[in-house]
Amino acid sequence: MEKINFSRNAITTEEELREIIGEPHELVVKKSISFLDEHCKKLISMSPLLFLSTANAEGNCDVSPRGDLPGTINILNKNQLVIPDRPGNKRLDSILNIISNPNVGLVFLIPGLEEVLRINGRATVFNDKEVLEKMSLKGKAPLLGIGIDVEECFIHCPRALKESNIWKPTSWQDIGNVPSIMKIFTDHLKLNGVEVKE
């Protein structure tokens, strides 16, 4: 299929968008709160996986999965939490984005629960040893922390996870035909002119 010019039928104003989609129900608008209440704190404490959305100053976006033991996120108070940044591949996509643009979005998942907790706010990359020590894993504190000043929290409806059947193993596709991650990794390197010896 040849490349499509998306701008040909682009929706460019809220008025155009509302004409197609309509207005949200008042309850949907008012479900958003500006701090971490006891429900939010409970969900965060049970979540082993979150997705961190960032963008740099130019608007280039990234979404990064962050997995850890439930309860590892450090909730400092009703307005702040800290995500540990454990050693990884040193690309630092999220960290570099936050340094140039602090606006972030978080999605917290809990296995078996089809609703997700969404949090929006402003992030700071910091190196406070006292705070980081409290998030040690196997005796090692994270090298950095991502401090989040919470601005908005709300529960997102279950439709996406329900329709995807993500928690139902009987609906999962057979991954036997999927190439290994190493095969994908080396093939992508080859596309960039890098040959990897087997």
Side-chain angles (χ1 to χ4, degrees):
M1 183 176 189
E2 61 183 72
K3 191 173 180 180
I4 293 174
N5 179 5
F6 291 125
S7 65
R8 190 174 57 209
N9 295 302
I11 306 299
T12 58
T13 67
E14 183 173 349
E15 288 76 16
E16 290 177 283
L17 193 60
R18 291 298 176 197
E19 190 174 322
I20 297 169
I21 305 298
E23 297 292 335
H25 192 283
E26 180 185 20
L27 299 180
V28 175
V29 174
K30 292 192 173 176
K31 71 178 180 175
S32 174
I33 61 175
S34 61
F35 63 93
L36 301 170
D37 70 349
E38 293 310 309
H39 299 302
C40 293
K41 290 177 183 178
K42 180 67 174 175
L43 293 173
I44 292 168
S45 75
M46 293 177 67
S47 174
L49 176 66
L50 68 90
F51 290 88
L52 171 64
S53 174
T54 61
N56 64 18
E58 289 74 44
N60 300 305
C61 300
D62 182 71
V63 177
S64 171
R66 300 284 170 141
D68 227 318
L69 294 175
T72 305
I73 301 296
N74 190 352
I75 300 171
L76 300 178
N77 51 60
K78 70 176 188 175
N79 300 113
Q80 294 178 308
L81 59 87
V82 180
I83 302 167
D85 191 66
R86 312 252 182 230
N89 61 16
K90 301 181 182 176
R91 277 184 54 114
L92 303 175
D93 298 308
S94 301
I95 299 294
L96 291 171
N97 282 351
I98 289 168
I99 288 172
S100 69
N101 175 2
N103 297 297
V104 297
L106 310 173
V107 172
F108 288 88
L109 279 79
I110 298 172
L113 187 66
E114 291 176 332
E115 291 79 6
V116 298
L117 175 65
R118 291 174 56 180
I119 293 179
N120 297 315
R122 295 174 67 79
T124 304
V125 179
F126 71 102
N127 185 15
D128 184 318
K129 301 288 191 239
E130 186 178 341
V131 173
L132 297 178
E133 282 294 331
K134 293 176 182 173
M135 295 184 288
S136 292
L137 184 64
K138 297 179 183 175
K140 290 189 176 180
L143 299 176
L144 298 169
I146 302 172
I148 309 292
D149 287 298
V150 173
E151 296 176 342
E152 183 179 34
C153 310
F154 58 95
I155 296 297
H156 191 94
C157 75
R159 186 180 184 283
L161 272 64
K162 183 183 263 262
E163 293 299 322
S164 70
N165 288 319
I166 190 71
W167 305 130
K168 294 180 182 172
T170 55
S171 74
W172 296 351
Q173 296 183 58
D174 178 12
I175 60 171
N177 295 326
V178 176
S180 73
I181 296 305
M182 186 53 70
K183 168 72 172 156
I184 297 170
F185 179 65
T186 55
D187 283 353
H188 286 184
L189 287 173
K190 287 176 187 173
L191 290 172
N192 285 318
V194 179
E195 289 293 331
V196 179
K197 292 181 180 177
E198 302 287 327

